[in-house]
Amino acid sequence: MEILAFGVQSDEKPLMEKAFAGHHDVRCLDVFLNEDTAPIAAGYEIISSSVNATLDNRVLQTLAAGGTQMIAQRSTGFNNIDLRVAERLGLTVARVSSYSPYSVAEFAWTLAMAVNRRIVRASNRTRDFDFRLDGLMGRDLRGRTVGVLGTGKIGEAFTRIAHGFGMNLLGWDAVENPACVALGMTYVEKDRLLAEADLISLHVPLLPSTQHLIGADALRSMKDDAILVNSSRGGLIDTEALVVELRAGRFTGVGLDVYEAEAGLFFLDKSLEVVADDTLARLVTFPNVVVTSHQAYYTADAVTQIIDTTVQNVLDYRAGRRSENVLVPAPAVS
């Protein structure tokens, strides 16, 4: 059996082929799964999708009509998949429930330090042999307060690094993480965290209840010189409201690895095109903002774990096994 994998990056392809070797053949495509590309999957029982795939009603209908029975998504998030439609169509859907939390946590800190110490501006200057320090002053983080929204595995890894910096730790989550409490974290209401934190990092999933978790009111409640980092999902932040605050001269820095309208943009080369997204175009012009293209997870360690889990999900499906990674199980055989 041959598996069809959409949205495979060039660095990812050899890892995919190696992991599937001895189990199934895999055909890797660099195009992303959406309404235009879904017909390519005709005749493939199993397809693998990437985080920026579009798996809405129309795409799922096309896949099912073409004979697809199983979707193995190579990501933890699944907000891009209409699970109700998948279940109605009898499609099995699996994801990667976890991978190296350090990849994302370390990258979140990379963004935080980049905006705090003006690394991008400094690097661009020195390329032009401009070695002035004007406008490059940052702040010590030791003794300041970090607010971690979401203290699961990634949030915990981020907190451990913050503890190493000697920061005061505030957390917000539905359930307290004992490991974070042991590090000295105090769990508080979201409003208090936003008002007191010098650095805020988001590590919660995108759900209907967390859509625009950081909206206009939340942004206004933050300190004028706060640092905001999002390496989770773009929809957690109301980007238009963020732009309004940035235009008002607020925030020491904002580091974003995700963007709520990133589908169709991120992972693609748009450098020779006119990007019609006015919000994104304005966002990247602010000197205190760093935007990267959803790369926090992109380490050899994490990608290898993601692919290995994807292979196991396929093997489990073929064997009729169900694991914690299954979002929509195979229909019962009568």
Side-chain angles (χ1 to χ4, degrees), residues 81-97:
I81 307 173
D82 192 326
L83 297 180
R84 291 184 179 179
V85 173
E87 184 173 17
R88 176 168 55 81
L89 294 172
L91 295 169
T92 299
V93 181
R95 62 159 178 164
V96 177
S97 58

Side-chain angles (χ1 to χ4, degrees), residues 185-197:
M185 173 172 279
T186 300
Y187 279 84
V188 297
E189 295 298 319
K190 184 182 75 170
D191 290 348
R192 178 183 165 187
L193 183 150
L194 295 175
E196 295 183 9

Side-chain angles (χ1 to χ4, degrees), residues 202-321:
L202 309 182
H203 301 287
V204 298
L206 181 59
L207 304 169
S209 59
T210 59
Q211 177 75 28
H212 287 180
L213 180 70
I214 305 298
D217 291 341
L219 290 163
R220 283 193 294 267
S221 71
M222 292 166 54
K223 292 181 176 182
D224 287 343
D225 60 354
I227 294 172
L228 175 63
V229 173
N230 186 11
S231 58
S232 184
R233 287 293 182 269
L236 297 175
I237 296 178
D238 183 340
T239 315
E240 291 187 5
L242 175 61
V243 168
V244 170
E245 299 303 312
L246 288 166
R247 289 184 64 187
R250 300 189 65 226
F251 307 136
T252 289
V254 175
L256 304 175
D257 185 51
V258 287
Y259 173 61
E260 58 182 327
E262 68 183 53
L265 290 172
F266 282 21
F267 304 152
L268 300 172
D269 182 1
K270 297 290 184 178
S271 61
L272 299 180
E273 302 177 26
V274 175
V275 175
D277 189 325
D278 291 338
T279 303
L280 179 61
R282 181 172 295 179
L283 187 65
V284 299
T285 65
F286 291 104
N288 57 336
V289 174
V290 172
V291 179
T292 52
S293 53
H294 206 140
Q295 69 181 80
Y297 78 98
Y298 205 55
T299 67
D301 309 80
V303 171
T304 297
Q305 291 174 16
I306 289 169
I307 293 173
D308 287 346
T309 301
T310 300
V311 172
Q312 189 58 52
N313 287 341
V314 170
L315 297 178
D316 286 345
Y317 162 78
R318 294 286 292 166
R321 296 186 296 265

